[in-house]
């Protein structure tokens, strides 16, 4: 990739002052003495135990302390609330008890301030409504055409020799984002933008949080400066010349209910955040689905038959036919159940509340755990088994609505979830009409579980031409 040039100074405004609903409370040991749990090792607490195997750690804590427990990690206490009822309380948030902004802020605010996930209540609702124009049928139809062309072009070169799927789909997802999201062709400009995003994503979870020279955080901050400058100039240009069908142009010309356009710096922040959120999560979930289909060739055949019946074997799937890929969607949902791309969700309590028989104080960092709930046997019998039939309409109707939450829920339900479904369906249509997906017998890749799951070895697969 090209090296990032030093960006020109930008007029991008700093993030606004903390909203009035924010809590400044400092949680003390005495505040949560009544909640069971453990502090772990001195200084680091349970941080490294959690990172090594989050699912095993949660299972041990639930078995030891129950479905509400405290744990000290990443420098402070967190209250875990486990189960579909906890998911519903936090995500649906009828009483506006929880701040997403303060939950995600410590992780993302330096590099991705003012993204939708870092907004609450009225501000979030207003910006979400304005940005939703980018996911209306007209723009989505345009994206579908771009995805078919881009994915077909890329996967033609994947056949024959063994390859690492994860880095290949990661690069393809970035290239597709340049086309569908930004509306620029693949090439040097897209490479510079992609490199900046890679640095920002890596820096968001870097252990060193200060942008010291030669650190990931420094590269991430420089990447953000580059993209702020680029998106600021482009937003102004597209407003002056009229928007296009790509997602960025839709954002640049989006209006609020009163007819006013979003401020330029807010468009920039939303675009930065959306590119980050879409890129790594789709890369992770597509990799999971490819691995599971390789392990279960009988499901490959069922999906291939469905896709062939609809496309005639061409691999190109029209926007109006995407909804007919019912088995493909069920298989994707099962992949998201088994390895959700966002394993857990943080919030901060704005007021005291009760759950599971415990009083949770105002200001407490709280978290729910999709990864664990997606494997609870009372909702998912034989949870380690890949079974897309768990997502027939009848099965879904009989299950707790919040037992499956890969896209979150409530007001913060992922704005781009239909785009994610579309991209993965187009990928499956292009792949399965060309290739059999094969892995070595007995191959079980190790997964890095956090922050977004990925196979440590890149996932070794072979696409055998049909």
């Amino acid at each position: 990739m090209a090296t990032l040039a030093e960006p020109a100074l930008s007029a991008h405004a700093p993030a606004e002052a903390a909203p009035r609903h924010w809590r400044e409370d400092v949680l003390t040991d005495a505040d949560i003495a009544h909640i069971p749990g453990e502090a772990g090792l001195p200084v680091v607490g349970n941080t490294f135990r959690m990172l090594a195997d989050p699912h095993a750690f949660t299972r041990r804590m639930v078995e030891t302390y129950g479905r509400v427990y405290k744990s000290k990690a990443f420098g402070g206490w967190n209250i875990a609330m486990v189960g579909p009822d906890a998911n519903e309380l936090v995500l649906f948030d009828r009483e506006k008890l929880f701040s997403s902004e303060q939950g995600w802020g410590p992780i993302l605010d330096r590099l991705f301030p003012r993204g939708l996930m870092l907004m609450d209540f009225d501000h979030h609702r207003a910006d979400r409504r304005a940005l939703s124009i980018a996911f209306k049928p007209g723009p989505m139809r345009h994206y579908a055409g771009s995805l078919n062309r881009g994915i077909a072009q890329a996967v033609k070169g994947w056949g024959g020799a063994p390859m690492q799927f994860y880095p290949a789909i990661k690069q393809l997802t970035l290239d597709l984002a340049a086309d569908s999201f930004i509306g620029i062709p693949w090439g040097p400009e897209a490479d510079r933008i992609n490199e900046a995003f890679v640095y920002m994503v890596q820096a968001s979870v870097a252990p060193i949080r200060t942008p010291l020279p030669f650190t990931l955080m420094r590269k991430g901050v420089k990447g953000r400066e580059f993209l702020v400058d680029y998106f600021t100039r482009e937003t102004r240009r597209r407003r002056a010349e009229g928007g296009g069908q790509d997602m960025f142009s839709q954002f640049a010309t989006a209006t609020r209910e009163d007819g006013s356009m979003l401020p330029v710096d807010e468009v920039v922040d939303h675009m930065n955040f959306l590119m980050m959120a879409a890129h790594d999560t789709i890369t992770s979930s597509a990799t999971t689905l490819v691995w599971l289909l390789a392990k279960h060739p009988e499901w490959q055949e069922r999906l291939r038959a469905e896709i062939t019946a609809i496309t005639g074997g061409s691999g190109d799937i029209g926007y109006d036919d995407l909804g007919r890929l019912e088995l493909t969607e069920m298989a994707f949902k099962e992949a998201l159940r088994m390895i959700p791309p966002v394993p857990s969700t943080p919030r901060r309590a704005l007021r005291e509340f009760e759950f599971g028989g415990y009083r949770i104080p105002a200001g407490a960092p709280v978290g729910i755990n999709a990864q664990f709930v997606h494997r609870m046997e009372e909702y998912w019998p034989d949870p380690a088994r890949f079974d897309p039939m768990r997502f027939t309409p009848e099965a879904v109707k009989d299950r707790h609505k919040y037992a499956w939450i890969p896209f979150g829920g409530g007001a913060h339900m992922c704005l781009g979830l239909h785009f994610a479904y579309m991209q993965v369906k187009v990928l499956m249509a292009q792949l399965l009409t060309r290739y059999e997906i094969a892995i070595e017998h007995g191959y079980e890749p190790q997964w890095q579980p956090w922050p977004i799951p990925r196979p440590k070895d890149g996932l070794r697969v072979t696409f055998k031409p049909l």
Side-chain angles (χ1 to χ4, degrees), residues 60-304:
R60 182 182 70 80
M61 295 294 282
V62 169
E63 291 173 351
T64 305
Y65 302 110
R67 295 187 181 182
V68 178
Y69 63 84
K70 64 185 177 186
S71 174
K72 183 171 281 188
F74 302 102
W77 286 107
N78 181 77
I79 310 301
M81 303 189 300
V82 179
D85 289 338
N87 295 346
E88 182 172 11
L89 173 71
V90 171
L91 295 175
F92 195 60
D93 197 14
R94 293 176 180 87
E95 305 298 326
K96 294 186 178 180
L97 290 170
F98 304 104
S99 171
S100 181
E101 188 171 4
Q102 282 195 283
W104 285 108
I107 304 169
L108 298 177
D109 192 59
R110 187 178 193 100
L111 295 161
F112 299 100
R114 296 189 298 192
L116 273 181
M117 206 159 67
L118 281 79
M119 288 182 171
D120 292 322
F121 312 131
D122 291 344
H123 192 182
H124 170 264
R125 184 165 49 253
D127 278 27
R128 183 184 177 93
R129 184 181 294 113
L131 298 177
S132 66
I133 189 175
F135 300 97
K136 300 294 185 184
M140 289 287 281
R141 194 179 301 276
H142 170 78
Y143 309 150
S146 297
L147 292 174
N148 268 295
R149 291 190 300 272
I151 292 174
Q153 176 183 333
V155 303
K156 286 177 182 176
W158 288 0
M163 63 178 284
Q164 289 181 306
F165 180 74
Y166 182 83
I169 191 63
K170 185 179 181 72
Q171 183 60 50
L172 175 56
T173 301
L174 284 167
D175 290 338
L176 293 170
D179 186 2
S180 298
F181 283 31
I182 309 177
I184 60 175
W186 300 0
E189 185 178 37
D191 284 346
R192 288 193 296 273
I193 291 169
N194 290 349
E195 182 186 39
F197 272 111
V198 168
Y199 284 150
M200 289 170 70
V201 172
Q202 290 175 342
S204 68
V205 293
I208 298 175
R209 308 306 296 169
T210 303
L212 300 173
F214 311 111
T215 63
L216 269 178
M217 182 57 75
R218 175 67 172 172
K219 291 181 179 179
V221 168
K222 299 305 291 184
R224 173 173 168 75
E225 290 174 357
F226 173 84
L227 288 172
V228 164
D229 181 70
Y230 174 82
F231 284 136
T232 298
R233 287 185 284 106
E234 278 294 298
T235 299
R236 290 170 177 159
R237 182 183 70 80
R238 295 186 193 206
R239 285 183 173 179
E241 298 177 2
Q245 286 295 301
D246 60 273
M247 202 172 292
F248 180 28
S249 294
Q250 296 290 314
F251 283 2
T253 56
T255 58
R256 293 195 169 118
E257 285 187 307
D258 62 4
S260 64
M261 285 188 172
L262 296 174
V264 170
D265 58 333
E266 292 191 20
V267 172
V268 171
D269 281 337
H270 282 308
M271 194 64 200
N272 271 333
F273 176 79
L274 184 79
M275 288 280 286
M276 179 276 293
H279 159 242
D280 269 4
T281 54
I282 291 178
T283 298
S284 175
S285 56
T287 301
T288 301
L289 180 57
V290 163
W291 171 55
L292 291 169
L293 291 178
K295 284 185 66 177
H296 300 278
E298 71 281 7
W299 271 101
Q300 268 193 69
E301 288 301 321
R302 294 183 68 172
L303 268 56
R304 184 176 293 113

Side-chain angles (χ1 to χ4, degrees), residues 260-379:
S260 64
M261 285 188 172
L262 296 174
V264 170
D265 58 333
E266 292 191 20
V267 172
V268 171
D269 281 337
H270 282 308
M271 194 64 200
N272 271 333
F273 176 79
L274 184 79
M275 288 280 286
M276 179 276 293
H279 159 242
D280 269 4
T281 54
I282 291 178
T283 298
S284 175
S285 56
T287 301
T288 301
L289 180 57
V290 163
W291 171 55
L292 291 169
L293 291 178
K295 284 185 66 177
H296 300 278
E298 71 281 7
W299 271 101
Q300 268 193 69
E301 288 301 321
R302 294 183 68 172
L303 268 56
R304 184 176 293 113
E306 176 184 67
I307 291 166
T308 300
I310 294 170
T311 66
S314 69
D316 288 335
I317 181 77
Y319 176 75
D320 293 328
D321 287 327
L322 289 168
R324 298 171 61 194
L325 295 180
E326 295 177 356
L327 286 177
T328 304
E329 182 166 321
M330 288 160 58
F332 182 41
K333 287 180 175 178
E334 176 70 341
L336 290 168
R337 179 192 70 82
M338 296 187 75
I339 304 182
V342 182
S344 58
T345 302
R347 292 287 192 269
R348 196 173 190 208
L350 298 174
R351 300 191 304 279
E352 180 180 296
F353 68 98
E354 291 190 7
F355 181 77
Y358 295 97
R359 176 185 54 80
I360 313 297
V366 299
I368 55 173
N369 190 313
Q371 182 187 44
F372 189 83
V373 176
H374 286 189
R375 297 292 185 106
M376 293 177 71
E377 292 189 6
E378 61 205 88
Y379 304 101

